[in-house]
Amino acid sequence: QKEVEQDPGPLSVPEGAIVSLNCTYSNSAFQYFMWYRQYSRKGPELLMYTYSSGNKEDGRFTAQVDKSSKYISLFIRDSQPSDSATYLCAMTTGGSYIPTFGRGTSLIVHP
Amino acid sequence: DTAVSQTPKYLVTQMGNDKSIKCEQNLGHDTMYWYKQDSKKFLKIMFSYNNKELIINETVPNRFSPKSPDKAHLNLHINSLELGDSAVYFCASSDDNNQPQHFGDGTRLSIL
């Protein structure tokens, strides 16, 4: 079992839909959780950064962490074609420089 | 104003050649990284430098040698390129331990 599991998709939704992207993990020491968006032929771009359990909202994006279930989610409201990209989750323990990345979920939002 | 910039964007070369990729960050970060992203999109850490000192060196062939002339630059030199080196190489930087990383747009390396 990999440390961080993420369904590669693709996930195809119509414009305006609510999108739910998820990751599960096995290492209970993870405390910092991130979501990156990667457009084709570009580098990963940080979207959300959270510490420990709970929710964090930023515009149309909400990040949710459930440490008891070792499960994190990213919700995108009112999805747009410009949201079409690969979304990578990443997480670190308290003492590591290096996040562990999921393999990314490809999202396609069609008009 | 680009935060993390890599050159070149594309690199096509023959097996056995030696090549370098350059990376510069203008964020004032102390830590820089090199990642390799394979065709399945996995991001794999290769090296990490903190204030010009090597702090992480994952299991990478010694044909790969990073060099950090100052804390704003981290270059990657690759000797005797092999077919399996074809990938996208990303440079990244972060402020310190546990802070999120900021990535460049990658260098697409193709070995003929």
Side-chain angles (χ1 to χ4, degrees), chain A residues 13 16-21 37 47 59-63 73-80 83-84 87 107 109:
Chain A
V13 301
I18 297 175
V19 175
S20 171
L21 302 165
R37 177 176 61 197
L47 273 181
R60 295 184 296 111
F61 299 90
T62 300
S73 300
L74 178 71
F75 298 97
I76 308 175
R77 289 184 298 283
D78 188 24
S79 55
Q80 304 293 309
D83 295 327
S84 298
Y87 290 80
L107 172 66
V109 181

Side-chain angles (χ1 to χ4, degrees), chain A residues 2 4 32 34 36 38-46 49 86 88 92-99 101-104, chain B residues 9-10 31 33 35 37 40-43 45 48 50 55-56 90 94 96-106 108:
Chain A
K2 290 199 186 309
V4 178
Y32 299 86
M34 290 147 276
Y36 285 85
Q38 186 175 15
Y39 289 116
S40 179
R41 301 198 171 274
K42 291 287 190 180
E45 167 197 3
L46 180 69
Y49 176 55
T86 297
L88 300 108
T92 67
T93 64
S96 171
Y97 283 96
I98 306 301
F101 282 88
R103 65 174 295 178
Chain B
K9 278 186 174 311
Y10 299 94
T31 309
Y33 312 80
Y35 282 87
Q37 189 174 47
K40 292 184 181 176
K41 299 291 188 182
F42 276 113
L43 271 169
I45 185 69
S48 177
N50 180 262
I55 54 171
I56 288 168
F90 285 101
S94 67
D96 64 15
N97 201 11
N98 295 318
Q99 291 302 308
Q101 295 169 343
H102 297 257
F103 286 82
D105 280 339
R108 280 146 193 86

Side-chain angles (χ1 to χ4, degrees), chain B residues 40-102:
Chain B
K40 292 184 181 176
K41 299 291 188 182
F42 276 113
L43 271 169
K44 185 177 175 185
I45 185 69
M46 299 175 71
F47 301 103
S48 177
Y49 270 72
N50 180 262
N51 270 318
K52 302 193 297 175
E53 298 291 326
L54 180 66
I55 54 171
I56 288 168
N57 182 354
E58 292 295 306
T59 308
V60 176
N62 57 14
R63 298 182 294 104
F64 291 79
S65 52
K67 283 192 172 51
S68 182
D70 55 63
K71 77 171 194 176
H73 295 84
L74 181 62
N75 303 324
L76 183 65
H77 188 76
I78 315 170
N79 288 327
S80 303
L81 281 157
E82 300 178 357
L83 288 175
D85 297 333
S86 294
V88 183
Y89 292 84
F90 285 101
C91 177
S93 72
S94 67
D95 203 7
D96 64 15
N97 201 11
N98 295 318
Q99 291 302 308
Q101 295 169 343
H102 297 257

